[in-house]
């Protein structure tokens, strides 16, 4: 053998040995099976008629049901545009999502390169059992709402650039410079084989859609190489066809096709809702049927965000009262899904957002208790399961739950006026804002879990000494009181002189944060209070009466919706009536949030009453997820002489505890906005009142344990803390995760 042949033989042998080793160690595993057409264009997913299909390892197209979760782009302490999520976070979440039984993750926008790298890494040895993703492409939402014209040249160019960026990022073929509020970095990993579909755009503002249609009513329909608008399409739908076509053209360059959809929601659906009171919620339709693929074999499908409580017609539209539920009412969500599905006879349709949050706060009512908020984690899971079953049973092609992780930066219309300054939202967890708590993965505040609310203070002893302050005051019946805090709560641990019995006594703790306030005369029952007033009053007793009440002169709700603000509350409600703001038997007001605003014709189709909900109620329970008595909304518990509680910051008047900002007493501004002032901290004043009963057994006013005493607020030590710029948080799979796991693993 010549030397040259010998060298070639050795090289071939070396390559064979390396390949063998590579196969053994999984470095060169078989590629994921994909269909290739005559031109070599690859597909893993496609649509066929009303079905969404996947190409399997046997070379067959199989009908599939997409079941998954929406994944946000941030963690506590950050806004989404900061993109702080690390590879280890993604890998941990992918495993948890996969173990839940999901087959897809939907993201709303381009993430940093680490997302795509981590997903490919996670799927490395998964074969056909891969975890796929749906790539969202964010439209210029703010500019669309501001300019009210989708054809604005700058908007068109911005959206097209975002489309091109997203496609190149998925295929690992772009470097993005750092830009505030946007992903950046070098994208080198090709994640295209794990893509399930493209999902472009955001929920469309109906006024913008309507204005776009009027401005461009004479524009000819769009005809593209891959997607076109059909005859009769509106100008806005034609604009959407052009953006879908641009997406397809950008992807075809990489030799792949994936199904494409655009974001839609109930507000711009294709149905009429005679029972919807607000005109803008039924103003205009955006119809996916008015766009058709021309030369896009992977196909196209409709997608909707459908929640059971918004818009209000889920409560008010009698045409949806067709399917009885098991609570004596109607399942209007299922009825709506059935009507919507019936419209799409030749294309698949998915629900790509739905769900309820596990929050104390609530902002919309839904039939059958499917409210936006007010659920503990177990209730959240049961409602989410029932919604998923409705979607599946009505023949939809997928259900993608909103959402994976809690998001501290989010806002809700009925707490937004009190979260001041708004750019501090990511730095604290307002449990009254339901939008923050949709996740299956709890993003708990720093001490939630370290301190278990169960009436046992032994876990307080494990906290760093500098993080716990011993209350330095004196009060009859109070042996000691310890205080600490985190991003969500002020924690109070008390030792009483006698065992606490809510049937025989009530425990009060007044809270003073700034100059002003009121004196709770009835609750004090003869005790004298000097040196100022209180902003809030914590009262613990029977379950039905335990709550945080707010001073009448400080009451946010009354100031915003009463005669100082929107004039939606009765000016002089009868004492003891349903409109009476006072806590029964007390002098302070119930802590309420608005649920629905008062509106009448001609502003609405029919009268829309003002609705509100008491959210200051304190739930007694156990906050330990391992306890059979666990309730995630627990705020207090007692055991013998010990009383333990955690009080949400906003109930004490804080607009931002991270910078010690509290709502002040200033009159509302021209736009009915509140202002804040910087507090030094909070003064807490405890007292115990014994219950008394008349001979007939009816309750009479409490008798304070020391009615002769005087409380001087200025003599009470102040609990204070340093402002914080970083947050501590802890991840925990909610009980709702396991409810969804049981269902997702059961669904085919």
């Amino acid at each position: 053998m010549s030397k040259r042949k010998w060298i070639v033989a050795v090289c071939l042998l070396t390559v064979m040995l390396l390949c063998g080793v590579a196969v053994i160690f999984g470095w060169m595993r078989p590629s994921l099976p994909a269909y290739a057409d005559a031109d070599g264009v690859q597909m893993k997913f496609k649509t066929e008629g009303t079905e969404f299909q996947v190409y399997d390892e046997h070379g067959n197209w199989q009908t599939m049901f997409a079941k998954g979760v929406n994944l946000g782009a941030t963690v506590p302490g950050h806004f989404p545009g900061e993109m702080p999520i690390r590879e280890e976070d993604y890998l941990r979440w992918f495993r948890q999502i996969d173990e839940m039984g999901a087959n897809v993750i939907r993201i709303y926008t381009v993430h940093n390169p680490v997302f795509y790298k981590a997903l490919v890494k996670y799927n490395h040895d998964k074969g056909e059992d891969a975890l796929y993703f749906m790539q969202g492409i964010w439209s210029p939402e703010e500019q669309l709402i501001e300019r009210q014209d989708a054809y604005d040249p700058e908007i068109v160019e911005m959206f097209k650039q975002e489309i091109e960026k997203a496609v190149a990022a998925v295929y690992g073929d772009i470097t993005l410079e750092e830009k505030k509020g946007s992903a950046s970095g070098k994208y080198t990993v090709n994640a295209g084989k794990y893509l399930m579909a493209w999902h472009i755009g955001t929920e469309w503002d109906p006024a913008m859609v309507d204005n776009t249609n009027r401005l461009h009513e004479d524009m000819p329909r769009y005809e593209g190489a891959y997607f076109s608008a059909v005859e009769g399409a509106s100008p806005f739908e034609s604009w959407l066809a052009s953006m879908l076509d641009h997406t397809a053209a950008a992807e075809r360059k990489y030799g792949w096709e994936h199904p494409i959809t655009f974001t839609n929601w109930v507000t711009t659906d294709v149905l009429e809702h005679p029972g919807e009171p607000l005109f803008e919620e039924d103003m205009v339709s955006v119809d996916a049927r008015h766009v058709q693929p021309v030369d896009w074999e992977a196909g196209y499908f409709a997608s909707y965000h459908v929640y059971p409580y918004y818009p209000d017609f889920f409560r008010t539209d009698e045409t949806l009262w067709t399917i009885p539920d098991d609570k004596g009412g109607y399942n209007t969500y299922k009825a709506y899904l059935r009507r919507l599905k019936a419209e799409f006879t030749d294309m698949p349709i998915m629900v790509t957002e739905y769900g309820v949050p596990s929050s104390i706060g609530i902002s919309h009512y839904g039939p059958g208790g499917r409210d936006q908020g007010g659920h503990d984690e177990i209730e959240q899971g049961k409602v989410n399961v029932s919604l998923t079953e409705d979607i599946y049973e009505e023949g939809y092609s997928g259900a993608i739950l909103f959402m994976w992780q809690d998001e501290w930066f989010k806002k809700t219309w009925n707490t937004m006026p009190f979260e001041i300054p708004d750019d501090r939202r990511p730095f604290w967890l307002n449990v009254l804002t339901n939008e923050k708590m949709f996740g299956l993965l709890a993003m708990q505040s720093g001490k939630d879990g370290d301190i278990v609310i169960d009436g046992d203070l032994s876990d307080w002893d494990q906290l760093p000494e500098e993080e716990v302050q011993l209350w330095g005051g004196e009060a009859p019946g109070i042996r000691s009181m310890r205080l600490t805090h985190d991003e969500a709560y002020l924690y109070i641990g008390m030792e009483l002189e006698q065992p606490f019995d809510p049937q025989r006594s009530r425990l009060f703790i007044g809270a003073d944060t700034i100059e002003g306030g009121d004196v709770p005369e009835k609750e004090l029952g003869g005790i004298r209070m000097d040196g100022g007033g209180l902003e809030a009053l914590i009262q613990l007793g029977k379950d039905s009466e335990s709550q945080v009440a707010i001073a009448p002169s400080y009451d946010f709700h009354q100031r915003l919706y009463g005669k100082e603000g929107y004039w939606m509350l009765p000016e002089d409600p009868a004492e003891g009536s349903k409109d009476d703001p006072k806590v029964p038997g007390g002098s302070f007001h119930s802590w309420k949030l608005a649920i629905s605003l008062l509106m009448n014709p001609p502003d609405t189709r029919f009268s829309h009453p003002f609705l509100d909900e008491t959210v200051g109620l304190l739930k007694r329970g156990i906050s330990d997820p391992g306890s059979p008595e666990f309730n995630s909304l627990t705020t207090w518990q007692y055991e013998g002489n010990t009383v333990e509680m955690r009080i949400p910051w906003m109930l004490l008047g804080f607009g931002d505890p991270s910078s010690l900002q509290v709502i002040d007493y200033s009159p509302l501004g021209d736009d009915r906005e509140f202002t804040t002032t910087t507090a030094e901290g909070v003064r807490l004043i405890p007292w115990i009142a014994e219950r008394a009963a008349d001979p007939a057994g009816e309750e009479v006013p409490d008798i304070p344990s020391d009615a002769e005493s005087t409380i001087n607020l200025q003599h009470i030590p102040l609990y204070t803390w340093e402002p914080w710029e970083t947050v501590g948080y802890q991840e925990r799979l909610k009980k709702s995760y396991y409810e969804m796991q049981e269902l997702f693993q059961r669904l085919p």
Side-chain angles (χ1 to χ4, degrees):
M1 178 183 294
S2 68
K3 184 176 181 180
R4 183 171 180 274
K5 289 183 178 179
W6 181 83
I7 292 174
V8 171
V10 169
C11 290
L12 288 173
L13 182 60
T14 301
V15 170
M16 292 172 65
L17 287 171
L18 288 173
C19 289
V21 171
V23 170
I24 292 171
F25 285 95
W27 298 340
M28 293 181 63
R29 64 178 180 80
S31 60
L32 198 67
Y35 171 83
D37 67 12
D39 297 323
V41 176
Q42 293 183 280
M43 292 189 297
K44 179 65 180 176
F45 299 93
K46 73 170 186 175
T47 65
E48 187 68 37
T50 60
E51 296 181 350
F52 197 89
Q53 297 184 337
V54 59
Y55 190 74
D56 68 17
E57 69 270 29
H58 304 296
N60 300 314
W61 288 102
Q62 300 287 346
T63 300
M64 71 169 294
F65 182 75
K67 46 187 178 177
V69 291
N70 289 269
L71 179 72
T74 193
V75 294
H78 300 273
F79 281 102
E82 297 175 53
M83 301 284 177
I85 305 173
R86 304 164 301 174
E87 180 176 331
E88 54 263 40
D89 298 323
Y90 282 125
L91 290 173
R92 180 175 63 257
W93 296 349
F94 293 160
R95 176 179 55 80
Q96 292 167 332
I97 293 169
D98 201 2
E99 289 174 351
M100 186 174 67
N103 54 29
V104 64
I105 294 167
R106 178 188 169 207
I107 57 176
Y108 295 91
T109 187
V110 176
H111 283 220
N112 277 346
V114 64
F115 168 82
Y116 307 94
K117 177 184 176 184
L119 187 66
V120 171
K121 183 176 182 179
Y122 178 79
N123 281 324
H124 190 270
D125 297 314
K126 295 282 291 177
E128 275 291 283
D129 190 33
L131 182 63
Y132 298 96
F133 75 108
M134 229 178 247
Q135 178 66 59
I137 304 177
W138 198 260
S139 53
E141 185 178 36
E142 292 182 5
Q143 290 82 0
L144 284 167
I145 292 174
E146 177 188 343
R147 302 178 193 180
Q148 295 286 291
D149 180 9
Y151 284 95
D152 179 279
E154 186 178 354
I155 289 175
V156 170
E157 183 59 27
M158 288 175 66
F159 199 8
K160 286 185 174 181
Q161 287 180 5
E162 192 67 20
I163 289 169
E164 293 163 10
K165 180 178 81 174
V167 174
V170 166
Y171 287 98
D173 187 30
I174 194 172
T175 298
L176 298 176
E177 299 298 326
E178 283 194 23
K179 180 182 177 184
K180 186 177 180 180
S182 183
S184 62
K186 190 172 184 179
Y187 294 75
T188 59
V189 174
N190 185 345
K193 56 189 170 185
Y194 299 118
L195 181 68
M196 182 178 284
W198 299 103
H199 200 300
I200 78 165
T202 48
E203 294 173 343
W204 310 113
D205 172 44
M208 179 275 296
V209 174
D210 184 60
N211 194 60
T212 297
N213 289 339
R214 287 189 289 105
L215 288 175
H216 304 280
E217 58 184 351
D218 296 327
M219 179 172 288
R221 67 184 179 91
Y222 178 82
E223 296 184 74
Y226 304 105
F227 282 86
S228 292
V230 303
E231 290 293 339
S234 70
F236 183 76
E237 291 160 351
S238 197
W239 177 82
L240 276 173
S242 71
M243 295 303 163
L244 294 173
D245 190 54
H246 195 75
T247 307
E251 182 177 40
R252 181 62 81 83
K253 296 175 183 177
Y254 294 97
W256 276 86
E257 286 188 11
H258 287 90
I260 304 179
T261 189
F262 64 81
T263 304
N264 210 349
W265 61 325
V266 175
T267 295
T268 52
D269 67 8
V270 299
L271 303 174
E272 293 184 1
H273 306 289
E276 170 54 47
L278 301 181
F279 293 114
E280 59 267 29
E281 297 294 353
D282 202 24
M283 173 191 293
V284 67
S285 291
V286 178
D287 195 338
R289 298 169 298 183
H290 291 169
V291 178
Q292 294 290 339
V294 177
D295 180 21
W296 194 251
E297 196 173 347
Y300 166 64
F301 63 101
S303 66
Y304 281 88
H305 298 172
V306 187
Y307 294 90
Y309 43 73
Y310 183 83
D312 284 321
F313 72 73
F314 281 104
R315 287 189 298 111
T316 59
D317 193 341
E318 295 184 14
T319 66
L320 293 177
W321 296 0
T322 57
I323 303 175
D325 63 15
D326 57 0
K327 299 180 180 179
Y330 295 97
N331 187 343
T332 59
Y333 188 75
K334 191 178 182 74
Y336 173 82
L337 292 174
R338 185 170 296 177
R339 285 184 57 192
L340 185 65
K341 178 68 169 64
E343 295 290 323
F344 293 89
T345 58
D346 59 356
M347 64 188 299
I349 179 172
M350 291 187 189
V351 176
T352 53
E353 269 192 32
Y354 68 101
V356 299
S358 61
S359 60
I360 290 176
I362 177 174
S363 62
H364 287 98
Y365 291 135
R370 291 165 158 180
D371 303 330
Q372 187 177 3
H375 306 286
D376 63 37
E377 291 176 12
I378 295 174
E379 292 170 350
Q380 178 196 30
K382 292 186 182 303
V383 174
N384 284 345
V385 165
S386 70
L387 296 174
T388 310
E389 290 174 334
D390 287 346
I391 295 166
Y392 181 77
E393 290 167 3
E394 291 306 313
Y396 284 68
S397 294
I400 304 180
L401 183 73
F402 186 84
M403 76 168 308
W404 173 242
Q405 78 270 43
D406 288 342
E407 298 180 298
W408 291 14
F409 76 93
K410 282 291 187 67
K411 56 189 177 183
T412 301
W413 71 273
N414 61 358
T415 56
M416 281 169 56
F418 318 130
E419 292 177 333
I420 307 170
D422 58 6
D423 62 355
R424 302 289 302 176
R425 286 193 185 102
F427 295 99
W428 66 293
L429 176 58
N430 184 5
V431 295
L432 270 60
T433 298
N434 66 79
E435 283 282 351
K436 299 177 185 291
M437 305 186 74
F438 271 89
L440 298 179
L441 180 70
M443 295 296 192
Q444 299 181 151
S445 51
K447 290 187 175 69
D448 188 357
D450 293 339
I451 294 180
V452 174
I453 304 300
D454 58 359
D456 180 356
L457 302 184
S458 60
D459 47 4
W460 287 61
D461 298 332
Q462 309 305 312
L463 297 175
E465 184 177 344
E466 66 274 10
E467 293 186 13
V468 180
Q469 180 177 317
L470 185 64
W471 185 69
E474 294 183 359
I478 310 297
R479 181 179 298 166
S480 67
M481 184 162 72
R482 285 187 276 181
L483 306 170
T484 190
H485 71 278
D486 67 8
E487 296 83 358
Y489 305 102
L490 174 67
Y491 294 84
I492 306 172
M494 304 180 71
E495 293 284 351
L496 309 182
E497 297 287 355
Q498 301 292 331
F500 183 59
D501 182 358
Q503 301 301 317
R504 300 179 57 184
S505 61
R506 288 198 292 175
L507 172 63
F508 293 96
I509 305 175
D512 173 30
T513 54
I514 55 175
E515 185 177 346
D518 298 314
V519 176
E521 298 285 356
K522 290 184 179 180
E523 293 85 349
L524 284 167
I527 295 178
R528 180 182 174 87
M529 182 175 287
D530 293 334
L534 305 176
E535 279 66 51
L537 180 62
I538 303 165
Q539 62 177 48
L540 301 178
K542 298 175 184 177
D543 289 349
S544 61
E545 61 192 11
S546 298
Q547 61 186 288
V548 178
I550 189 168
S553 64
Y554 193 54
D555 188 345
F556 308 161
H557 189 65
Q558 288 285 322
R559 290 159 67 188
L560 185 58
Y561 298 108
K563 61 182 179 180
E564 288 185 51
Y566 289 99
W567 285 85
M568 293 184 179
L569 294 172
E571 191 168 352
D572 295 305
E575 186 175 351
S577 71
K578 67 179 180 64
D579 297 318
D580 186 359
K582 289 183 180 178
V583 174
S587 55
F588 272 37
H589 289 182
S590 298
W591 218 112
K592 295 185 176 183
L593 283 176
I595 303 299
S596 183
L597 300 183
L598 174 66
M599 284 172 281
N600 291 301
D603 297 321
T604 58
R605 288 172 172 168
F606 51 86
S607 294
H608 199 253
F610 183 84
L611 299 173
D612 55 21
E613 178 82 10
T614 299
V615 295
L617 297 174
L618 299 176
K619 185 176 289 292
R620 185 169 63 88
I622 305 292
S623 69
D624 177 10
S627 169
E629 300 176 61
F630 169 70
N631 188 303
S632 59
L633 303 185
T634 289
T635 48
W636 78 286
Q637 186 56 280
Y638 70 94
E639 186 68 38
N641 295 45
T642 303
V643 181
E644 186 177 24
M645 68 197 81
R646 57 182 185 182
I647 307 300
W649 282 117
M650 183 163 279
L651 294 182
L652 298 174
F654 281 86
D656 171 37
S658 72
S659 60
L660 284 84
Q661 295 296 302
V662 296
I663 305 295
D664 63 23
Y665 287 90
S666 302
L668 298 183
D670 293 338
D671 294 325
R672 299 185 179 94
E673 75 275 6
F674 289 91
T675 55
T676 64
T677 188
T678 303
E680 295 180 11
V682 58
R683 287 184 173 87
L684 298 176
I685 307 96
W687 70 92
I688 299 173
E690 301 297 327
R691 297 182 189 274
D694 67 12
E698 296 180 359
E699 289 192 5
V700 296
D702 299 336
I703 304 172
S705 57
D706 188 353
E708 301 297 320
S709 66
T710 296
I711 299 173
N712 190 314
L713 296 182
Q714 301 309 311
H715 295 168
I716 301 296
L718 188 72
Y719 177 72
T720 190
W721 57 94
E722 291 296 321
W724 65 80
E725 296 295 328
T726 58
V727 304
Y729 69 94
Q730 304 182 49
E731 293 183 9
R732 177 180 59 80
L733 293 172
K734 296 183 184 179
K735 295 294 184 181
S736 52
Y737 168 90
Y738 299 101
E739 296 277 351
M740 288 301 297
Q741 182 182 56
E742 191 281 327
L743 175 65
F744 270 1
Q745 291 185 353
R746 176 164 47 88
L747 288 179

